[in-house]
Amino acid sequence: MARKRYQKGHVYLDGDKWKGRYRDDVITSGGTQRIRREVILGTKRELPTKHLAERRMEVALARINGLDYRPGRVATFEEFLERWKAEILTKQKPSSVRSVKSHLRCYILPQLGKLQLEQFGVENQQTFISRIAEKGVSRKTVLNVLGTLSSVLTTARNWGYTCQDVDLEKLRLPSRGARYEAPHFTVDQLQRILSIAEEPWRTMFCILTMDGLRAGEVLGLQWGDVDLDRKLLHVRRSAWYGQIQTVKSETSETVLPIPTALATILKEYRAQWQPNPQGLLFVTRNGRPPSSNKVVQYRLWTILDALGIPRCGLHAFRHTHSALLLDSGATPSYAKSHAAANAPLRRAHHT
């Protein structure tokens, strides 16, 4: 359906807010329909006169009056997400799928499921943030959920649906809490852990600590990734819940130096290692990479409980790597970047 005429809209004052009304064409399951829309232009304080409000309305109508105007598609979040999950989410890594499904199930669908995509403007976005913040979640969780929403809305816009992007500069986020100090081990604690850890877990803990890898990267290692002659470790893949997948990012797929002490440990481990079809350094009895949560629950925590060390996850070894760098004289900025992605070493050895 073509646009009937050039629109100026209807601007009026509602309390202390200027509002504007106009007509728009939308594509629904029943065909193209012309509907009335309403937009908040600003407050009386921001726009003291109606003339200024009308100028703002011209900007709002730029899409409608443009020569390339086409009717937009409309749908509720619930309706659109069914297609988005089938076409987009299924193409993502299993680890990403799990977190996104959690965002959809816990926050997005309960709050927004019946809402039209086009209605999720800045005001509704702010209301959504306030409601999930009331659940006591962290600022980081709010940002992660908004990241999922942004991905959904970007896809919707690309597919021709009428909706507005998430712009963090226009939103008020929960305040930052007290700075969280990631758990790590002292040198004494690390020595005690390694002294009683059995293989293959001792070697796994050593790789995590000495090269600062993520748990999934260590669990995805194959012997073809380990060059003991040149003392280089190739990070090419990751493992998540027993499934091999790509690493977290392009910068994570890289080459790291193997410290001399770690090279000795790996040589000793290779001598007693039992072959498996994929050549993985660490496997379960069914030939698959172990799940990191199982390693933590049944191996690491058993050791920590025996030594009286507070429980934590495998990432503590990675943070211990950063702490050891600081103890050796590295600057805090170097240690932070190294912990984030082993950036300086990875760039130097990337081939």
Side-chain angles (χ1 to χ4, degrees), residues 134-146:
E134 289 172 357
K135 296 178 179 290
V137 302
S138 67
R139 177 188 174 94
K140 185 175 185 299
T141 297
V142 172
L143 287 170
N144 289 340
V145 174
L146 290 177

Side-chain angles (χ1 to χ4, degrees), residues 183-185 296-297 300-301 304 309-317:
H184 67 277
F185 304 118
V296 171
Q297 185 175 357
L300 178 59
W301 283 357
L304 297 182
I309 299 173
R311 289 183 174 185
C312 55
L314 293 175
H315 215 67
F317 290 104

Side-chain angles (χ1 to χ4, degrees), residues 293-308:
N293 63 328
K294 298 294 184 183
V295 175
V296 171
Q297 185 175 357
Y298 297 111
R299 305 297 177 180
L300 178 59
W301 283 357
T302 300
I303 295 172
L304 297 182
D305 291 347
L307 297 174

Side-chain angles (χ1 to χ4, degrees), residues 93-95 216-217 219-221 237-247 278 280 284 286-292:
K93 293 194 297 185
S95 53
E217 294 170 347
L219 294 171
L221 285 175
R237 72 196 68 77
S238 181
W240 185 81
Y241 279 81
Q243 300 294 323
I244 297 295
Q245 61 179 24
T246 58
V247 290
Q278 298 185 73
L280 292 163
T284 60
N286 61 9
R288 296 169 59 187
S291 295
S292 60

Side-chain angles (χ1 to χ4, degrees), residues 83 88 123 129 153 167 172 208 213 218 247 300 333 338:
R83 287 204 60 205
I88 303 298
E123 185 175 358
I129 291 173
L153 294 171
D167 186 350
R172 188 72 175 268
L208 287 165
L213 268 65
V218 171
V247 290
L300 178 59
S333 59
H338 195 278

Side-chain angles (χ1 to χ4, degrees), residues 119-133:
Q119 296 176 323
F120 194 56
V122 176
E123 185 175 358
N124 279 333
Q125 290 173 16
Q126 187 62 63
T127 300
F128 174 73
I129 291 173
S130 300
R131 286 178 178 173
I132 61 175

Side-chain angles (χ1 to χ4, degrees), residues 5 33 77 92 103 119 123 146-147 149 159 227 272 326:
R5 62 184 181 276
Q33 298 179 5
F77 271 91
Q92 298 184 14
H103 296 162
Q119 296 176 323
E123 185 175 358
L146 290 177
L149 267 175
W159 288 359
D227 187 344
Q272 59 175 300
L326 290 172

